[in-house]
Amino acid sequence: MPHAATGAFKGYDPGSFFCEMCGSAEIGAPHAAAIFARFDRAGLDNLRQRAAEAEIELFNQGITFTVYTDGKAIDRILPFDVVPRVISATNWRVIEAGVIQRVATINAFLSDCYGPQHAIRDGIIPGELVFGNANFRPEMAEVRPALGTYVHINGTDLVRDVDGRFYVLEDNARTPSGVSYVVENRHLMMRSFSDLMRGLPIRPVSDYGRHLLEALCEVAPAEVLDPQVVLLSPGIFNSAYFEHVFLAREMGIPLVEGRDLFVDDKDRVFMSTVGGPRRVDVIYRRLNDDFLDPEVFEPSSLLGVPGLMRAYRKGTVTLANAVGTGVADDKAVYAYMPRLVKYYLGEEPILNNVETHICREREALAFTLDHLAELVTKPVGESGGYGITIGPRATQAELAEARARITEDPANYISQPVINLSVSPTLVEGVVEPRHVDLRPFAITGKSTWVLPGGLTRVALRRGSLVVNSSQGGGSKDTWVLAEDDSQPTPQAGRTGEEILAAGGDQIVGAPDLPAQGA
Amino acid sequence: MSLLLSRYAECIFWLARYIERAENLARILDVQETFARDIKGGHDWAAVLRLNADEARFFERYEVADAPSVLNFYILDRENPTSIVSDIFFARENARTLRPLISTEMWVQLNVFYNRARALRQVDITEERLNRVCSMIKEGCDTHAGITLGTFYRDEAWCFYQIGAAIECADQTTRLLDSRYLSFEERDPSETVSPVEASHWTSLLRSASGYQAFRRRHPRGMDPEHVALFLLSDPCFPRSVACELQIVEVQLGRLRRQYQLRRVGAALEQLDGIRDDLNVDNVLAILRGGGIHRFNDWLQRSLNDLSGILGRAFFGYEALPQPEAEDHAADKSQSQTAGSLQQHQG
């Protein structure tokens, strides 16, 4: 039910979708009413003016990412929307606990995959999904990362359906990106909208770097007292280079490239400085597994460090995230996550999955092909929204093409029902209209898991579009998690999230021991 | 103990050089507008090409050395790695690499400056607008220098920045001086300086922002020897070679004392050699012996060698590479060294 509007939001109508600012007919949004009213009162011209200024600032700062289409690379600004997305304190408690639970499960699963493989033996997940996965790294078999943490930085993509429930759409357990926008968007809002933010209980996001550095120090090789942490980037031509710079600056650590590092004959990692070689203990690497070490993986990689895996396996250096985490955020493994939560933690999932059909399974394939026009189909190995077909919006030709691709290689596809992503008021072409959004909270895990109270809200700027990826015309918003508010009920998976939390969800911290080992 | 990556040291060194180079090129083009005029009032734009030993590269792609083509070559031409737009582009690319190190203000200014330079079109660089465009470039470079001075953290990266800027500025001052001396050497030294000649020297000093300072030192007259001494050996004029080398010495000393970088030894030795030859008596003798062009050339080569020594000591350059492929015959001006090639990839 939209709040009353006479100014900037006059005529705003989210229709049948769940709205982040207004809720739905069943579930109101009292927590956002005051904020809605403030932006409404500011007036459209005022918002337009500030949006234009914000855009100029982003351009001047060169905060750009690179889009690759038809072999061409184009530097673009990530479009920024000035109307924030607001999350109530009660909603956030569920998201936070759900993300922590999810990360604990992923870490337990990875310990298991590269260790005793109980879940496979117990028939919880097919072994071929693990061993046949392109991201499974047999090289990790003997490696025991500090504190059992494989995924130190995780991004969980959440969507909200018309029922107001949050669902996990995807786990990002390799090198999730976007956190720099979370912090920079907030800085931009604080510069441009300090008057509208005054007195609001918005939780700060600026200490992400401190938390990350602390966690990275916690997982340093045991004998190191004052670890030297570095961030390993593929370099200035990487589309996320801006973020690498941001993180290195926030943590005050060197931003290195592969050519700055070398491994000596005692399998120790050094960086080349003007004063000679300096030992490196922890590497936050923003480089895919494939490129890390030409001795072990992609031999033609010039981005990596020859011998890095030798050092890593010997335990002289920590890599964050660990090698081989991609086996856990695969779209096919994703389908098994709710079962894995129960298996490893003995808990109900706080955040549920979107219903998923795994096309490698015969029945699911048949169902998918029969309902192609109603389903979203996705290749399991792609990221960035590439290769997705949204059934209800596809042409006959596109559906036929999808059918052919899936039939040819079913194991590479999953399908899901269309989720009517929630919307949020967005300033587009001078007027405020509903646009679909998702949410990527970021979790950092060292000794325990900490979730940044905010997250990346991506917004599909094209009217009606459900694709929020920056490479496909998406933008971002500042995400305001409120410290306290008039509570908004949070329906989750049958029971409310609060009920699940009350039932013991708050004990979930860090990576628990495997049940079979701990027993 | 220094944690400065070798690659960063190299990038900051070259960032400073590229900006300094863009600024000096703008200064040279600006002043060239004045004295590229020959007696009949025509322009000899090829003089700038000779100054930078760029004739061969230029004539590969241009037919005649007239104002539009020479100005295009030196200001807008992206395929000329030493054009002003290229310089600013490389400075910005280095800054992009250095963003973890430099202040946000430095980055934003360079980014905006680059976008402005990139927007320049042929119509902006006609002879009548040249002064305006050169002023814009100089102002952008000066703004960079000011912001850097005011915001850049003064650790060892700052030392390398200062050294890079000083070496480039020293090199460019010799080129600026040469721009006049190429013709000066053809003249009979016993003749008095004509008013036209004097006005050329005045413009040259102005282009180095040195006219007023020169007047404080030499209130009367416009003796070419004084000008040359002023630009090469004056201890107080900030763009003189001697003054720039003083900066290099101070910063090398700081690297050694404060950051225990013992490998500055070879660079200091090279520096001492150059500074010895810049003493006033020596320079006067060279001027009177008609060897100033060769001396300038020798200075450029020595500075280039200094750069190489620093590269081998700190930037991870291979132990002594083959000397520049170009022949080292005397009387041949050095073309500009292309810096930090690793940043040009992609």
Side-chain angles (χ1 to χ4, degrees):
Chain A
M1 182 82 84
H3 309 288
T6 55
F9 291 176
K10 193 174 172 189
Y12 175 77
D13 179 13
S16 59
F17 299 108
F18 191 90
C19 174
E20 297 296 334
M21 277 270 215
C22 306
S24 64
E26 293 76 32
I27 303 166
H31 67 288
I35 296 168
F36 186 94
R38 279 192 193 189
F39 275 79
D40 183 47
R41 269 200 307 275
L44 208 46
D45 285 342
N46 187 324
L47 292 188
R48 279 192 208 126
Q49 171 77 26
R50 299 199 214 196
E53 285 163 12
E55 200 161 295
I56 290 168
E57 196 179 324
L58 287 175
F59 185 72
N60 285 347
Q61 291 193 352
I63 299 182
T64 55
F65 67 98
T66 315
V67 186
Y68 299 94
T69 25
D70 306 328
K72 273 183 285 186
I74 307 155
D75 264 352
R76 279 220 321 243
I77 303 172
L78 181 67
F80 172 70
D81 181 57
V82 296
V83 185
R85 187 251 191 95
V86 185
I87 299 178
S88 73
T90 41
N91 280 180
W92 182 254
R93 273 195 289 278
V94 173
I95 291 171
E96 187 178 43
V99 165
I100 290 172
Q101 183 189 54
R102 193 98 178 174
V103 171
T105 304
I106 289 173
N107 276 317
F109 174 62
L110 287 165
S111 296
D112 194 16
C113 284
Y114 293 117
Q117 297 163 355
H118 292 297
I120 296 164
R121 254 180 269 143
D122 291 348
I124 305 298
I125 186 166
E128 69 208 78
L129 278 190
V130 174
F131 307 125
N133 190 309
N135 294 307
F136 179 75
R137 303 289 176 193
E139 296 85 357
M140 288 297 290
E142 302 303 318
V143 183
R144 289 284 161 266
L147 308 173
T149 304
Y150 286 74
V151 178
H152 309 85
I153 301 98
N154 185 70
T156 313
D157 287 353
L158 302 177
V159 295
R160 205 171 192 187
D161 205 350
V162 283
D163 59 7
R165 288 180 186 173
F166 288 97
Y167 294 90
V168 178
L169 189 64
E170 197 172 293
D171 299 291
N172 295 277
R174 280 170 279 181
T175 51
S177 66
V179 74
S180 58
Y181 291 105
V182 178
V183 181
E184 290 289 354
N185 286 353
R186 178 64 54 81
H187 287 166
L188 195 56
M189 286 301 284
M190 284 163 69
R191 283 193 296 271
S192 311
F193 289 86
S194 56
D195 51 335
L196 296 190
M197 296 171 79
R198 193 164 301 138
L200 295 175
I202 303 168
R203 296 184 62 183
V205 292
S206 57
D207 55 352
Y208 181 83
R210 183 176 63 81
H211 281 275
L212 179 54
L213 185 58
E214 261 171 34
L216 292 173
C217 288
E218 284 168 7
V219 296
E223 68 283 1
V224 183
L225 291 178
D226 183 18
Q228 175 66 52
V229 184
V230 301
L231 191 151
L232 173 61
S233 165
I236 63 171
F237 300 105
N238 185 269
S239 60
Y241 180 71
F242 159 72
E243 175 154 305
H244 306 162
V245 168
F246 169 85
L247 290 167
R249 288 173 64 138
E250 288 292 310
M251 292 190 278
I253 61 171
L255 175 57
V256 304
E257 294 178 18
R259 55 189 157 148
D260 299 317
L261 302 181
F262 67 92
V263 178
D264 73 355
D265 53 7
K266 293 189 182 116
D267 301 333
R268 300 173 304 179
V269 183
F270 293 87
M271 60 177 168
S272 306
T273 77
V274 292
R278 294 273 179 266
R279 187 75 185 272
V280 170
D281 305 300
V282 181
I283 301 175
Y284 176 22
R285 47 91 171 209
R286 296 291 299 252
L287 200 57
N288 292 341
D289 288 356
D290 285 343
F291 300 110
L292 271 182
D293 181 354
E295 284 183 9
V296 180
F297 305 118
E298 178 56 48
S300 64
S301 169
L302 299 172
L303 301 173
V305 186
L308 186 56
M309 278 304 284
R310 266 190 282 126
Y312 182 51
R313 295 171 72 174
K314 203 166 173 179
T316 65
V317 71
T318 298
L319 295 178
N321 288 348
V323 173
T325 56
V327 71
D329 72 2
D330 178 281
K331 288 190 180 71
V333 170
Y334 158 90
Y336 294 87
M337 272 296 157
R339 284 178 244 173
L340 292 172
V341 170
K342 280 178 220 165
Y343 178 70
Y344 290 117
L345 308 181
E347 297 165 356
E348 291 294 321
I350 298 169
L351 293 167
N352 227 324
N353 270 9
V354 175
E355 181 189 359
T356 303
H357 312 282
I358 304 162
C359 297
R360 69 161 55 230
E361 293 172 2
R362 186 175 301 175
E363 281 174 31
L365 175 62
F367 179 87
T368 299
L369 293 175
D370 283 351
H371 297 81
L372 210 51
E374 300 144 39
L375 296 170
V376 180
T377 52
K378 304 174 177 178
V380 293
E382 298 287 327
S383 66
Y386 294 102
I388 289 182
T389 305
I390 298 173
R393 299 182 181 210
T395 63
Q396 284 305 317
E398 283 165 346
L399 284 178
E401 198 189 313
R403 181 181 300 277
R405 282 200 311 259
I406 297 167
T407 313
E408 190 182 328
D409 185 12
N412 194 36
Y413 286 88
I414 57 166
S415 68
Q416 294 168 333
V418 176
I419 297 283
N420 289 306
L421 299 194
S422 60
V423 294
S424 193
T426 303
L427 184 65
V428 197
E429 285 159 16
V431 291
V432 175
E433 291 185 351
R435 286 293 184 272
H436 293 291
V437 295
D438 77 347
L439 176 68
R440 177 181 291 181
F442 291 89
I444 293 172
T445 307
K447 282 180 185 156
S448 60
T449 297
W450 174 80
V451 185
L452 175 69
L456 179 64
T457 292
R458 296 185 295 181
V459 52
L461 293 172
R462 260 176 301 159
R463 187 197 303 260
S465 169
L466 294 170
V467 184
V468 296
N469 302 75
S470 56
S471 49
Q472 314 252 329
S476 74
K477 285 170 169 291
D478 191 11
T479 306
W480 292 1
V481 171
L482 301 180
E484 70 217 44
D485 53 57
D486 303 322
S487 74
Q488 177 187 35
T490 319
Q492 287 303 128
R495 294 190 288 164
T496 66
E498 287 82 354
E499 283 164 356
I500 296 167
L501 277 183
D506 56 349
Q507 289 163 5
I508 308 157
V509 187
D513 290 333
L514 294 173
Q517 287 176 323
Chain B
M1 192 170 84
S2 179
L3 284 176
L4 180 66
L5 290 180
S6 298
R7 183 166 56 83
Y8 283 178
E10 186 187 11
C11 286
I12 196 77
F13 176 85
W14 279 103
L15 166 60
R17 289 196 70 157
Y18 279 121
I19 290 294
E20 200 58 52
R21 188 174 287 180
E23 172 170 1
N24 279 282
L25 189 48
R27 287 173 182 279
I28 286 175
L29 292 175
D30 203 10
V31 72
Q32 198 64 22
E33 214 281 315
T34 320
F35 54 61
R37 251 173 256 276
D38 59 23
I39 297 151
K40 299 182 198 88
H43 276 70
D44 177 18
W45 282 97
V48 196
L49 298 172
R50 288 195 293 276
L51 192 64
N52 292 310
D54 282 336
E55 295 104 314
R57 284 200 304 128
F58 177 85
F59 286 112
E60 272 171 27
R61 292 189 298 115
Y62 295 85
E63 297 277 302
V64 278
D66 55 3
S69 48
V70 171
L71 290 176
N72 189 67
F73 179 72
Y74 277 124
I75 299 180
L76 300 185
D77 194 341
R78 288 294 298 272
E79 286 175 40
N80 171 14
T82 63
S83 72
I84 286 176
V85 168
S86 294
D87 284 340
I88 300 171
F89 169 77
F90 291 134
R92 176 184 180 263
E93 288 305 281
N94 278 301
R96 199 138 85 114
T97 299
L98 289 161
R99 278 213 56 195
L101 216 60
I102 63 178
S103 66
T104 301
E105 290 86 345
M106 283 171 75
W107 162 252
V108 170
Q109 189 265 341
L110 274 176
N111 198 42
V112 172
F113 185 30
Y114 169 67
N115 285 327
R116 194 183 304 159
R118 195 170 54 159
L120 290 175
R121 295 289 171 265
Q122 193 85 42
V123 60
D124 301 307
I125 59 161
T126 54
E127 280 178 89
E128 59 273 23
R129 293 200 185 183
L130 184 61
N131 178 259
R132 200 192 306 169
V133 93
C134 288
S135 297
M136 186 275 271
I137 303 289
K138 279 189 283 185
E139 197 178 303
C141 295
D142 287 344
T143 307
H144 162 79
I147 288 175
T148 303
L149 188 69
T151 63
F152 191 32
Y153 189 65
R154 305 265 171 109
D155 62 5
E156 62 272 44
W158 164 255
C159 300
F160 283 104
Y161 176 90
Q162 295 250 85
I163 292 170
I167 289 178
E168 185 66 31
C169 185
D171 176 280
Q172 294 293 340
T173 298
T174 65
R175 288 172 201 272
L176 189 66
L177 179 59
D178 240 15
S179 70
R180 203 63 215 114
Y181 255 95
L182 282 174
S183 55
F184 184 66
E185 283 187 356
E186 291 153 15
R187 132 191 196 283
D188 179 354
S190 62
E191 281 175 29
T192 51
V193 179
S194 70
V196 175
E197 186 80 42
S199 80
H200 285 170
W201 287 110
T202 303
S203 339
L204 187 143
L205 282 166
R206 281 192 200 286
S207 82
S209 305
Y211 178 68
Q212 286 160 30
F214 178 81
R215 275 287 169 245
R216 278 160 65 184
R217 188 123 171 73
H218 303 282
R220 279 174 301 279
M222 185 51 71
D223 183 342
E225 273 184 11
H226 286 163
V227 178
L229 270 177
F230 184 75
L231 291 177
L232 291 175
S233 306
D234 191 280
C236 302
F237 175 54
R239 309 192 80 82
S240 81
V241 176
C243 206
E244 296 295 347
L245 294 184
Q246 172 71 25
I247 292 172
V248 176
E249 185 182 26
V250 168
Q251 296 304 330
L252 286 174
R254 231 188 121 208
L255 286 175
R256 176 153 68 182
R257 281 191 314 279
Q258 217 164 318
Y259 300 100
Q260 286 85 49
L261 300 185
R262 311 255 170 246
R263 283 183 282 182
V264 298
L268 278 168
E269 218 166 277
Q270 168 79 1
L271 188 65
D272 281 346
I274 309 174
R275 294 185 74 195
D276 281 350
D277 284 342
L278 276 173
N279 76 64
V280 174
D281 291 341
N282 188 50
V283 174
L284 264 182
I286 288 164
L287 283 166
R288 288 173 186 161
I292 191 62
H293 175 60
R294 285 176 62 174
F295 184 62
N296 279 333
D297 192 46
W298 175 82
L299 281 173
Q300 287 160 23
R301 197 166 291 142
S302 302
L303 291 167
N304 196 23
D305 290 345
L306 177 59
S307 206
I309 290 168
L310 290 169
R312 289 187 293 280
F314 301 115
F315 309 155
Y317 290 0
E318 297 292 316
L320 208 68
Q322 282 301 300
E324 299 259 312
E326 282 98 294
D327 56 316
H328 271 210
D331 289 335
K332 185 125 193 295
S333 288
Q334 293 276 293
S335 66
Q336 316 254 357
T337 50
S340 198
L341 278 168
Q342 56 164 341
Q343 297 310 319
H344 301 183
Q345 68 199 4

